[in-house]
Amino acid sequence: MNDTFVILFSLICAGIGILYAFYLSYWVMKKDAGTAEMQKIQAAIQEGAEAYMARQFKSISLVAALLFILLWGAGFWSDHFGPLTAIGFLVGGTASALSGYVGMMIAVRANARTAHAAHLGMGAALSLAFRGGAVTGLLLISLGLFSVAGFYAVASTLAGEARTVSALLSLGLGGSLISLFARVGGGIYTKAADVGADLVGKVEAGIPEDDPRNPAVIADNVGDNVGDCAGMAADLFETYAVTTVATMALAHLLFPESKNAMLFPLLLGGIAILMTIVGSWFVRHKTGEGIMFTLYKGFIATAVLSAAAFYPATSLLMEGVGGVAAQNYYLAALIGLGVTIALVVITDYYTAKKFSPVQEIAKASVTGHGTNIIAGLAVSLESTAAPVLVIGGAILGSYALAGLFGVAIAAEAMLMMAGIVVAIDSFGPITDNAGGIAEMANMGKAVRDVTDPLDAVGNTTKAVTKGYAIGSAALAAIVLFSEYTRSISKGEAVFNLSDPLVLVGLFIGGMTPFLFGSLLMKAVGQAAGSVVEEVRRQFREIKGIMEGTGKPEYGKCVDIVTIAALQKMMIPSLIPVLIPVLVGATLGAKALGGVLVGSIVTGLFIAISMTSGGAAWDNAKKYIEEGHYGGKKSLSHQAAITGDTVGDPYKDTAGPAINPMIKVMNLVAVLVGLLFFA
């Protein structure tokens, strides 16, 4: 197949995806935003989200500018660096920021519209929330493909294949850096507000979640958008972009004579965008149909259509590459799709209310706070086993079919589902905010009977997406590690466990996710403490809040969590950048290789444990609130709130942030390897 055709096809498909995302945005914005009170609440959430994102980007830009200069200046020492590499970094960072920011802005505007659509029934509200989320999903994969394909087309023409590879990896680093800051900052913001609001509002004052009397309620709703929407979008954008550029770089190293292998990920990406658009049309709710089943119809349709379309694409480009039949590469891609489905099913089992793990935590709450915590920790630890076995089986299977490039293709195929997965994920914060607006605007029981089930399902979809993101990140990190081993000393480095440098590297790498996670948990706890003190002050000093005659000072809590998130995100975010540089400069290439392996192994387990365990705690609380084990305001409910409070920074701050942390470490290591050891 002609090289130009593949690049043009991918760029055209990316353009179609962007245009369709803007069409969905237009469709959402045409819907009724509800009463004046609803619009006022939505405007406050929007204002808080925009203000935080602007300040976050300002903080990130300082670090990004420094790295841009370093990548440009490194060209004096190595041919792998210079202006092209620095520009690649800028392109990746800009595209990542845009995908998260624009998608979040549509999600913020969809929340009041979803609440208003609840008057028309479940189908109308579900459709609006999903389409609002689909904007983020489509922008993510479309901007990701457009930036990679467009940059590759320009760079390879100007500088040739070899220098383009390092520039592509730098593009991935730009996306990863934005993702890391968005995940860390957004995660601290959302959970500091959430925990602070719950501890004083629900536990001490005994008022419902999203009650307008709670001064932290607006900050909590803002956090859902900057953390779960913008943060997740940036996270999966960088996983998508990094996996694509890593696969292209690996193809260049393994098959230098075959350009088809480098172009193959771009062709799959273009197909995936078209299949995601078609798959989204299957999300139509029928009376009596489960909400999750409605969403999964789109997911299954996208998977089936992609599996069918990948076969001719593989036959056209990959026949005989590396002495491997095209059908083997196709089967490796099917393994990647299978891993996606398996991780979704496993995560759903451990986090959904209808299955035993969540119900066991709810039952344990009857005997108190301690037994709730014990049960939740047990579920979080258990939830790591099945995903790791699935990922291990996928590595063995894809490697047996097509070697190391087969593993890369499996990872690439997993990421082809990112658009529909993020659409389902962004559905979560939209429905969460819709429920909050319905409560604050006193829209009545009929509306809450629609928004509450949507919110509960949204909590599960967010957990499912995190499980998918972690699994895809693990495979992507393995591909990046392979890239590292082949970039240093022409692939001649041997990582022997009897070598003390390798062992020390393993220990340092294994320690890093623990240190990183602890800093984020502390940050949430400290910021939440400040929110608690502020909410208590307002309850104490502002007369009439509890009676509904006094107005809380919502902006105070928004300012507290904004400042805390921006201040506390810097040190954790720099850890995965500095550790590879310091280890590489002081201990050398073998120790740095050990660091990467250690971080991948421990990071995978911690991330799965935190995200699944935290979501299980949350849904155990919701299960009790439905009337089980005493219902709301019972002793079991109070214990479940404690578990949910512990689980909040687990599932929405520390756990998800380990994804970009691992990939930033690997990308920095590859670039350090090219600079010092190649």
Side-chain angles (χ1 to χ4, degrees):
M1 183 179 289
N2 185 273
D3 299 348
T4 304
F5 172 81
V6 174
I7 294 172
L8 282 175
F9 174 79
S10 62
L11 290 173
I12 290 170
C13 290
I16 291 172
I18 293 169
L19 289 175
Y20 191 69
F22 281 117
Y23 160 73
L24 291 178
S25 302
Y26 173 78
W27 184 88
V28 168
M29 293 300 293
K30 292 289 287 183
K31 297 297 179 181
D32 194 336
T35 64
E37 180 64 20
M38 293 169 63
Q39 293 182 45
K40 182 180 177 181
I41 297 167
Q42 183 261 315
I45 297 170
Q46 178 183 330
E47 181 182 351
E50 288 178 344
Y52 172 76
M53 293 297 289
R55 292 172 71 173
Q56 178 178 261
F57 287 145
K58 184 177 179 180
S59 299
I60 297 172
S61 64
L62 300 175
V63 178
L66 177 61
L67 288 173
F68 178 86
I69 294 168
L70 290 174
L71 289 168
W72 189 303
F76 292 106
W77 286 274
S78 172
D79 290 340
H80 295 288
F81 296 87
L84 189 66
T85 308
I87 292 170
F89 173 81
L90 187 63
V91 168
T94 302
S96 178
L98 277 175
S99 65
Y101 184 80
V102 177
M104 185 200 72
M105 285 296 99
I106 297 301
V108 167
R109 288 164 171 80
N111 53 26
R113 290 168 170 81
T114 298
H116 184 74
H119 284 297
L120 304 176
M122 182 67 73
L126 189 153
S127 178
L128 205 157
F130 173 77
R131 290 191 172 194
V135 173
T136 306
L138 281 167
L139 282 177
L140 180 156
I141 57 175
S142 300
L143 284 172
L145 182 62
F146 190 85
S147 60
V148 173
F151 184 76
Y152 170 78
V154 174
S156 59
T157 302
L158 296 176
E161 296 289 341
R163 296 192 67 184
T164 298
V165 168
S166 57
L168 282 171
L169 292 169
S170 183
L171 184 151
L173 178 62
S176 294
L177 188 73
I178 293 294
S179 168
L180 184 64
F181 278 100
R183 261 302 184 199
V184 170
I188 294 171
Y189 188 114
T190 183
K191 289 305 106 178
D194 193 0
V195 170
D198 284 354
L199 286 176
V200 184
K202 293 167 71 174
V203 177
E204 295 182 10
I207 59 178
E209 188 171 358
D210 296 317
D211 193 298
R213 292 173 292 178
N214 193 326
V217 71
I218 294 295
D220 185 10
N221 282 279
V222 171
D224 291 329
N225 291 283
V226 300
D228 287 325
C229 190
M232 174 56 76
D235 185 354
L236 277 172
F237 172 91
E238 63 93 13
T239 302
Y240 178 94
V242 166
T243 304
T244 301
V245 299
T247 302
M248 294 174 72
L250 191 62
H252 176 73
L253 284 172
L254 295 176
F255 316 118
E257 303 302 321
S258 174
K259 201 168 183 179
N260 281 358
M262 279 193 76
L263 295 174
F264 186 53
L266 303 181
L267 182 60
L268 291 186
I271 292 170
I273 291 172
L274 301 180
M275 298 305 103
T276 299
I277 292 172
V278 176
S280 68
W281 298 339
F282 285 78
V283 180
R284 297 288 187 276
H285 186 263
K286 298 178 181 177
T287 304
E289 187 176 77
I291 299 168
M292 189 65 85
F293 179 75
T294 301
L295 297 172
Y296 279 169
K297 285 192 299 185
F299 174 82
I300 293 168
T302 303
V304 171
L305 291 168
S306 297
F310 285 174
Y311 184 78
T314 309
S315 300
L316 282 171
L317 284 188
M318 297 303 293
E319 182 60 51
V321 173
V324 176
Q327 67 180 25
N328 285 31
Y329 290 115
Y330 175 67
L331 292 173
L334 290 187
I335 287 175
L337 292 175
V339 170
T340 301
I341 295 170
L343 291 179
V344 166
V345 171
I346 292 166
T347 308
D348 188 38
Y349 171 74
Y350 279 103
T351 59
K353 293 180 296 183
K354 61 183 177 181
F355 296 115
S356 61
V358 167
Q359 294 177 13
E360 288 171 1
I361 298 173
K363 184 178 180 180
S365 305
V366 174
T367 51
H369 301 257
T371 47
N372 170 281
I373 298 298
I374 292 169
L377 288 174
V379 168
S380 73
L381 294 172
E382 180 188 326
S383 67
T384 63
V388 169
L389 291 175
V390 167
I391 292 169
I395 292 170
L396 292 174
S398 55
Y399 188 87
L401 285 166
L404 185 58
F405 198 64
V407 178
I409 293 301
E412 186 70 23
M414 275 193 75
L415 268 300
M416 296 302 102
M417 296 292 292
I420 194 71
V421 170
V422 171
I424 294 172
D425 172 80
S426 296
F427 169 91
I430 291 172
T431 56
D432 192 345
N433 276 198
I437 290 173
E439 177 73 29
M440 287 184 275
N442 298 311
M443 295 179 66
K445 185 177 183 299
V447 170
R448 289 310 301 255
D449 286 344
V450 173
T451 59
D452 283 355
L454 289 173
D455 181 17
V457 168
N459 188 57
T460 300
T461 63
K462 288 186 286 186
V464 165
T465 304
K466 293 181 181 85
Y468 162 79
I470 292 161
S472 59
L475 286 179
I478 290 168
V479 176
L480 284 169
F481 176 73
S482 302
E483 175 70 20
Y484 172 76
T485 60
R486 280 158 176 74
S487 67
I488 61 172
S489 303
K490 300 180 180 179
E492 296 173 1
V494 176
F495 298 94
N496 193 322
L497 288 178
S498 64
D499 189 330
L501 287 173
V502 175
L503 282 174
V504 170
L506 284 170
F507 284 129
I508 294 173
M511 164 274 293
T512 304
F514 287 91
L515 176 62
F516 181 79
S518 74
L519 291 173
L520 296 187
M521 295 289 284
K522 283 182 181 179
V524 171
Q526 292 165 1
S530 300
V531 174
V532 167
E533 292 174 359
E534 173 60 25
V535 175
R536 285 174 177 167
R537 182 196 68 79
Q538 293 195 34
F539 279 155
R540 186 174 60 249
E541 296 179 5
I542 300 177
K543 295 180 180 180
I545 283 187
M546 295 306 293
E547 294 76 21
T549 57
K551 184 178 179 182
E553 297 174 349
Y554 299 117
K556 295 280 189 181
C557 291
V558 172
D559 287 341
I560 286 171
V561 290
T562 297
I563 293 168
L566 293 172
Q567 287 178 342
K568 296 179 184 299
M569 74 178 183
M570 296 304 294
I571 292 177
S573 298
L574 291 175
I575 285 176
V577 177
L578 295 177
I579 284 182
V581 174
L582 294 174
V583 171
T586 58
L587 298 179
K590 292 183 180 181
L592 184 51
V595 167
L596 301 186
V597 174
S599 67
I600 292 169
V601 173
T602 62
L604 175 62
F605 281 96
I606 295 173
I608 294 174
S609 175
M610 285 183 165
T611 53
S612 294
W617 261 314
D618 193 347
N619 273 340
K621 179 200 67 176
K622 286 182 168 60
Y623 185 74
I624 291 173
E625 288 174 344
E626 291 177 350
H628 303 93
Y629 301 114
K632 289 184 177 180
K633 298 187 178 181
S634 65
L635 292 176
S636 60
H637 185 226
Q638 292 176 22
I641 291 172
T642 298
D644 178 36
T645 303
V646 174
D648 272 339
Y650 253 47
K651 69 181 174 65
D652 289 327
T653 307
I658 288 172
N659 278 354
M661 186 215 78
I662 293 172
K663 291 192 291 297
V664 167
M665 286 187 70
N666 278 266
L667 279 165
V668 171
V670 172
L671 294 173
V672 167
L674 289 172
L675 184 62
F676 295 126
F677 313 129

